[in-house]
């Protein structure tokens, strides 16, 4: 049987046509009509101007530079995230300060953020920016976050790399902060094979980021430079892929949500499993299907679930390892961390591709059921309750250790 991956690219069908257009025009590099169109189409959806870049990380880097982050400046950032949310702070010599998640959303706690902002203000050390990360397809609770940042005059950079297509109170992820970064990496909800986008409230900020992204080359034929730039521009060919992908974004959101809903329904009766909460304030794309395992009630640990899936050639992963547990960021200041640490200790993401076949998803569900059942069955029998097994034909089997 074929390996089941966590999250794979899923082309819509028109990408090749746009790529052929790019080839026919011979615009294959960092300038061209596909790039212009991709930015235009992306901006129209978001309602803000945007510049296409080589990665989401590049977008975060340029966004932080636009906010003036420099050596010694503090930046408040979600503790529970992928390292790419934080590394660009260090690229600029800044100091990350981590803010824990709210257990009800798994995303940045507005309460802890307010506390952090007030605490920093008391020490007369206002952070230069707040990086709010929208993880796994759900927006953080932006109203109180925006209000707290406005009160302290601190700008927000949204890391919406995992949340393209998500909404909060009817508005798209990435339309709340001063700036927002998106990713089109191969495992994201849509992909350009690799790429990113930086959106801003102000058009002149996007212009400046575009200028920096092409080595800060001054107009004119001579190679004249006033500012430090980067080679961060997306290519016209990859922008062509992005155009085709944007056309199927809504369909991809529906498909990812359907995958998660299927897991949720099939595993609803298994004790000790809890899926990522869906906040009532917006649309959760369920980019990845995430859940936590309570080992006592489930009867096996998260790592035993991962091992059982791996033995069946199914790729599943722990949730993000919080930044305060990374040796790279040891010693950084933080507010909380216990929620993120708990999610990392017991959480996992299941295969979530929008192209995941029903039969493959059933394979995943079957493995999770099989790992759960022994303890489930044992406890029920010790309570004197007779319970029908989930799959009556399978012989009971003890979970294999890693
Ligand atoms: C993927 C991701 C990034 C980085 O995007 P790249 O395009 O891979 O550079 C940043 N933040 C988060 C939360 C991500 O998941």
């Amino acid at each position: 049987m074929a390996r089941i991956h966590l999250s794979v690219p899923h082309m819509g069908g028109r990408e090749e046509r746009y790529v052929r257009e790019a080839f026919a025009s011979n615009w294959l590099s960092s300038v061209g009509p596909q790039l212009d169109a991709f930015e235009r189409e992306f901006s129209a959806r978001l309602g803000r101007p945007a510049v296409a870049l080589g990665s989401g990380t590049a977008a975060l880097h340029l966004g932080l530079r636009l906010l003036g982050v420099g050596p010694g400046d503090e930046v408040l950032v979600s503790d529970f995230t992928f390292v790419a949310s934080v590394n660009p702070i260090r690229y600029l010599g800044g100091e990350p300060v981590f803010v824990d998640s709210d257990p009800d959303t798994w995303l940045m706690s507005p309460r802890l953020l307010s506390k952090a902002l007030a605490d920093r203000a008391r020490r007369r050390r206002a952070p230069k920016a707040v990086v709010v990360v929208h993880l796994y397809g759900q927006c953080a609770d932006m109203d109180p976050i925006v209000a707290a940042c406005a009160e302290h005059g601190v700008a927000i950079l949204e890391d919406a790399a995992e949340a393209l297509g998500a909404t909060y109170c009817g508005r798209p992820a990435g339309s709340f902060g001063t700036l927002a970064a998106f990713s089109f990496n191969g495992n994201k909800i849509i992909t350009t094979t690799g790429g990113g986008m930086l959106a801003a409230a102000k058009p002149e900020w996007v212009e400046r980021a575009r200028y920096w992204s092409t080595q800060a080359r001054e107009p004119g034929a001579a190679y004249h430079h006033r500012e430090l730039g980067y080679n961060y521009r997306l290519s016209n060919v990859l922008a062509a892929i992005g155009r085709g992908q944007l056309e199927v974004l809504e369909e991809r959101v529906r498909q990812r949500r359907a995958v998660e809903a299927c897991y949720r329904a099939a595993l609803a009766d298994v004790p000790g499993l809890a899926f990522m909460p869906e906040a009532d304030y917006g649309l959760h794309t369920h980019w990845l299907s995430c859940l936590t395992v309570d080992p006592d009630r489930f009867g096996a640990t998260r790592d035993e679930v991962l091992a059982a899936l791996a033995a069946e050639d199914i790729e599943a992963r722990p949730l993000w390892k919080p930044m305060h547990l990374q040796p790279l960021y040891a010693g950084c200041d933080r507010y909380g961390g216990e929620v993120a640490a708990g999610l990392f200790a017991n959480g996992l993401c299941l295969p979530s591709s929008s192209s995941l076949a029903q039969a493959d998803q059933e394979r995943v569900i079957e493995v999770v059921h099989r790992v759960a059942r022994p303890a489930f069955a044992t406890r029920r029998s010790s309570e004197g309750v007779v319970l029908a097994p989930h799959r009556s034909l399978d012989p009971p089997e003890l979970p294999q250790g890693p």
Side-chain angles (χ1 to χ4, degrees):
M1 265 185 290
R3 178 167 173 77
I4 302 176
H5 293 276
L6 186 71
S7 178
V8 297
H10 186 183
M11 292 296 118
R14 279 157 62 100
E15 293 85 356
E16 280 188 272
R17 194 184 107 183
Y18 294 126
V19 169
R20 272 197 300 276
E21 280 177 24
F23 273 71
S25 70
N26 205 37
W27 289 108
L28 300 174
S29 187
S30 56
V31 182
Q34 300 295 327
L35 261 176
D36 297 341
F38 185 38
E39 288 179 348
R40 198 171 53 241
E41 289 153 8
F42 188 94
S43 299
R45 286 166 168 274
L46 188 64
R48 287 185 167 197
V51 52
L53 301 167
S55 69
T57 310
L60 289 162
H61 185 190
L62 296 184
L64 289 166
R65 185 166 160 194
L66 280 165
L67 295 178
V69 173
D73 287 334
E74 286 189 347
V75 176
L76 299 177
V77 56
S78 305
D79 182 33
F80 185 50
T81 189
F82 176 51
V83 74
S85 308
V86 182
N87 285 346
I89 299 169
R90 275 280 167 86
Y91 296 170
L92 291 160
E95 285 296 325
V97 176
F98 303 120
V99 180
D100 201 0
S101 294
D102 183 328
D104 293 337
T105 61
W106 296 12
L107 302 164
M108 184 184 273
S109 157
R111 184 185 55 81
L112 277 181
L113 175 67
S114 289
K115 189 176 160 202
L117 286 165
D119 187 38
R120 271 19 224 183
R122 251 193 316 278
R123 299 189 205 182
R124 305 203 173 283
R125 190 149 183 220
K128 207 60 177 222
V130 174
V131 177
V132 180
V133 188
H134 307 307
L135 282 183
Y136 299 124
Q138 176 157 268
C139 289
D141 190 1
M142 291 309 286
D143 277 349
I145 289 174
V146 167
C149 289
E151 187 189 329
H152 291 272
V154 180
I156 294 174
L157 169 55
E158 294 178 73
D159 180 348
E162 301 183 5
L164 182 61
T167 64
Y168 177 87
C169 297
R171 276 169 60 186
S175 65
F176 295 87
T178 305
L179 294 153
F182 298 86
S183 168
F184 311 116
N185 189 14
N187 64 2
K188 299 298 200 289
I189 195 158
I190 61 168
T191 183
T192 58
T193 70
M197 194 76 83
L198 179 68
K202 294 189 205 164
E204 57 273 28
W205 289 29
V206 164
E207 278 316 310
R208 203 160 168 75
R210 192 176 282 117
Y211 159 77
W212 285 337
S213 77
T214 51
Q215 308 284 18
R217 201 175 52 238
E218 295 291 330
Y223 298 101
H224 184 62
H225 297 274
R226 295 172 198 281
E227 290 189 44
L228 184 65
Y230 315 86
N231 182 4
Y232 273 180
R233 192 74 164 124
L234 189 72
S235 91
N236 193 59
V237 177
L238 299 189
I241 299 175
R243 291 184 68 196
Q245 286 276 276
L246 260 190
E247 292 175 0
V248 294
L249 175 60
E250 277 74 29
E251 192 183 340
R252 296 294 172 265
V253 170
R254 276 197 300 279
Q255 290 161 329
R256 297 257 176 182
R257 285 183 54 82
V259 166
E260 201 266 356
C262 177
Y263 284 129
R264 217 179 252 264
L267 300 171
D269 58 347
V270 181
L273 297 183
F275 282 82
M276 181 174 180
E278 259 196 23
D280 58 9
Y281 51 56
L283 179 73
H284 191 327
T285 69
H286 290 291
W287 166 59
L288 293 183
S289 295
C290 302
L291 66 163
T292 56
V293 178
D294 173 346
D296 293 334
R297 294 179 56 227
F298 181 72
T301 63
R302 186 273 315 274
D303 287 340
E304 285 166 340
V305 179
L306 290 179
L309 291 166
E312 299 288 333
D313 216 7
I314 296 168
E315 184 187 22
R317 296 276 181 92
L319 298 181
W320 296 128
K321 183 172 199 166
M323 293 303 112
H324 81 269
L325 295 177
Q326 306 288 352
L328 178 62
Y329 292 113
C332 289
D333 220 349
R334 65 185 159 103
Y335 293 85
E338 300 73 24
V339 174
L343 291 170
F344 172 63
N346 295 315
L348 74 157
C349 18
L350 295 173
S352 306
S353 301
S354 43
S355 56
L356 185 66
Q358 185 67 36
D360 283 346
Q361 190 165 12
E362 280 163 15
R363 262 174 71 195
V364 177
I365 292 163
E366 195 270 326
V367 174
V368 177
H369 269 144
R370 200 171 56 204
V371 183
R373 198 169 45 198
F376 191 17
T378 313
R379 191 179 52 256
R380 292 303 180 129
S381 63
S382 71
E383 289 167 357
V385 179
V386 179
L387 193 87
H390 292 98
R391 293 272 200 285
S392 53
L393 296 176
D394 296 346
E397 199 176 285
L398 287 170
Q400 300 293 304

